[in-house]
Amino acid sequence: MSLSPTSSGALIIGLLFVLLATGMPIAFALGLTAIGGLLMANGIGVFEVLAETMFAGIANLAYVSIPMFVLMGAAVAATPAGRDLYEALDRWLNRVPGGLVLSNIGACAIFAGMTGSSPATCAAIGKMGIPEMLKRGYPASVATGSICAGGTLGILIPPSVTMIVYGIATETSIGRLFLAGVMPGLMLTAMFMAWALYDCRRKNFTFDISGNRFSFGQKLAALPKVTPFLIIIVGTLYVLYGGVATPSEAAGAGAFLTLGVVIIMYRLFQPKPIFEIFSSTLRESVMIMMIMASAELFAFALSSLFITQTVAAAIAGLEVNRWVLMALINLFLLVSGMFLPPVAIIVMSAPLLYPIIVSSGFDPYWFAVVLTINMEIGLITPPVGLNLFVVKAIAPQVPAGQVLSGSVPYVVLMLMGIVILSLFPEIATWLPTYVMGPL
């Protein structure tokens, strides 16, 4: 007995959540659900096109940039670069009231640009920042919450793997997407810093700047270990935006230079640490590619059962204000982000949402930033909340309730950020237009 597209969609989504609830890897859950849907649509003959459909989903030269940017992040994350960055900022902000928490959030923002990974940012900066803040008497919720929130910037501040995935899924310019994330990323960083300072004062914490003093020479001495990485990031983005190279070529050059700097600066001349960097890169890259290939098969199954077309027609037929439509989309993204990783959500939803966004008069690059902020919120909200688990592992002495309570205000700040971007979309669109011209 054939089912209607609505019934088929409900059945497939239900099966997907059941498989995810068992703890099955996301790629396998998507793939098995897709196979079940295709069997419903086309019968046993579907096995003839499974491999072709999955490989076609990742047979794109632009995907080469993903493992290259992952390699950049793995090379930095495997070294004391996070410690050096943290120490450099601490020395320069040491005499500023609240300079330590500002150093943590600032280090998260910069390290996020160096790695593009939220969990890696939390781990690298949190390992030094959280114990030091607790040692100096900062409230535990401030220490952990600021790191949780600062780590989320990894998927917004360029280079960002999620932006690359969105660009490929929607066939939009990756360079323009990177630029669109710069100003919102800085805006959120400033909002996080302002709240952290206010939260400290609200909890009657007295900023004490009578601790260690650093001479100007000591401050300058902290820069040589940080500057090369910043130059590489700026250089990679310049090559990309200057039209010198494609995103894949720029990512390859950036990965090569980062690996060379890491090996020379931290004397990684033994095979083992280099092997670990490439092993980490391989694991994460394969995981991302598997999710993308399975998501392509899942999207094909939804299309074969006319679920995608039915949902798109239903949304297009809604006679509601476009901002009501955007609110519903944001609600969908928020809920999805609480259960699924950003890459999985983007490859499944972006192709469906993109034409709706464009036909409703929204800028697709602005929407990419809004989508990414929604994904950031998912990183610090239960039940998955990956950053929460990373920070709890770093600071086991801090109760989980305090880690969560310290992160909740930053969720509100990110929601405020979405509202601000809705009122002033130029925050996301001005820089891409200025650098690369109008669409």
Side-chain angles (χ1 to χ4, degrees):
M1 187 178 89
S2 62
L3 299 175
S4 67
T6 303
S7 301
S8 299
L11 184 61
I12 284 183
I13 297 300
L15 176 60
L16 176 61
F17 275 101
V18 168
L19 293 178
L20 290 174
T22 66
M24 180 181 292
I26 292 171
F28 296 157
L30 283 170
L32 288 175
T33 304
I35 292 172
L38 288 171
L39 285 172
M40 291 170 55
N42 304 312
I44 198 70
V46 73
F47 287 102
E48 298 177 4
V49 298
L50 289 183
E52 180 182 352
T53 302
M54 292 187 71
F55 280 106
I58 55 175
N60 189 324
L61 187 60
Y63 283 147
V64 174
S65 61
I66 293 178
M68 293 297 99
F69 281 124
V70 171
L71 177 59
M72 286 180 67
V76 173
T79 66
R83 180 200 64 199
D84 294 335
L85 174 61
Y86 171 78
E87 289 180 352
L89 284 175
D90 186 34
R91 289 188 183 188
W92 282 91
L93 297 175
N94 185 259
R95 306 303 297 167
V96 177
L100 186 60
V101 70
L102 297 181
S103 297
N104 276 281
I105 297 175
C108 283
I110 298 173
F111 197 81
M114 293 163 60
T115 66
S117 169
S118 293
T121 300
C122 277
I125 305 303
K127 285 177 183 176
M128 287 79 61
I130 293 176
E132 187 64 23
M133 281 196 285
L134 294 177
K135 177 183 174 183
R136 298 192 195 180
Y138 279 79
S141 59
V142 174
T144 55
S146 60
I147 294 295
C148 283
T152 65
L153 299 169
I155 61 174
L156 180 59
I157 296 176
S160 165
V161 171
T162 54
M163 287 290 194
I164 296 172
V165 174
Y166 176 91
I168 295 171
T170 59
E171 299 182 354
T172 48
S173 167
I174 294 174
R176 191 177 287 270
L177 287 167
F178 279 1
L179 286 173
V182 172
M183 297 302 291
L186 295 176
M187 178 186 74
L188 286 180
T189 302
M191 293 172 68
F192 290 172
M193 288 180 170
W195 169 258
L197 293 178
Y198 171 76
D199 197 26
C200 287
R201 295 189 183 278
R202 185 173 66 97
K203 293 175 179 174
N204 299 317
F205 175 74
T206 303
F207 296 119
D208 182 10
I209 59 174
S210 62
N212 295 333
R213 291 177 179 268
F214 297 98
S215 67
F216 187 69
Q218 288 175 313
K219 293 179 180 179
L220 290 179
L223 296 181
K225 289 187 176 182
V226 177
T227 305
F229 295 107
L230 300 181
I231 292 175
I232 290 173
I233 296 299
V234 173
T236 301
L237 297 179
Y238 172 77
V239 167
L240 178 61
Y241 301 132
V244 179
T246 65
S248 298
E249 293 166 344
F256 177 77
L257 291 173
T258 302
L259 192 61
V261 168
V262 161
I263 291 174
I264 294 172
M265 184 179 295
Y266 296 104
R267 301 184 177 277
L268 302 182
F269 301 126
Q270 299 298 320
K272 184 178 179 181
I274 299 176
F275 176 78
E276 289 176 351
I277 290 173
F278 280 100
S279 296
S280 173
T281 301
L282 185 62
R283 285 194 300 271
E284 186 170 348
S285 299
V286 169
M287 177 194 72
I288 292 173
M289 290 298 185
M290 281 293 294
I291 290 175
M292 297 178 74
S294 298
E296 180 72 19
L297 190 65
F298 186 75
F300 179 64
L302 295 181
S303 179
S304 298
L305 290 167
F306 297 98
I307 297 170
T308 304
Q309 298 89 324
T310 302
V311 172
I315 294 176
L318 290 174
E319 295 183 1
V320 296
N321 182 280
R322 68 178 190 140
W323 289 107
V324 175
L325 178 62
M326 178 55 65
L328 294 174
I329 291 174
N330 273 279
L331 181 61
F332 162 74
L333 293 173
L334 279 171
V335 175
S336 300
M338 294 179 183
F339 297 93
L340 299 172
V343 170
I345 296 171
I346 291 172
V347 293
M348 286 192 297
S349 65
L352 173 63
L353 296 176
Y354 179 79
I356 298 171
I357 292 299
V358 173
S359 63
S360 299
F362 292 106
D363 185 287
Y365 298 94
W366 168 86
F367 176 69
V369 174
V370 172
L371 182 151
T372 303
I373 295 176
N374 277 292
M375 300 301 98
E376 288 182 329
I377 293 173
L379 290 170
I380 57 174
T381 50
V384 179
L386 185 57
N387 285 13
L388 297 175
F389 291 106
V390 172
V391 168
K392 185 66 179 74
I394 293 171
Q397 72 274 28
V398 180
Q402 289 196 34
V403 176
L404 181 58
S405 66
S407 301
V408 168
Y410 294 96
V411 172
V412 177
L413 289 176
M414 284 187 269
L415 292 173
M416 289 174 57
I418 293 175
V419 173
I420 293 172
L421 285 169
S422 299
L423 295 174
F424 306 101
E426 295 81 8
I427 296 173
T429 59
W430 173 80
L431 188 59
T433 302
Y434 178 78
V435 175
M436 305 182 70
L439 289 173

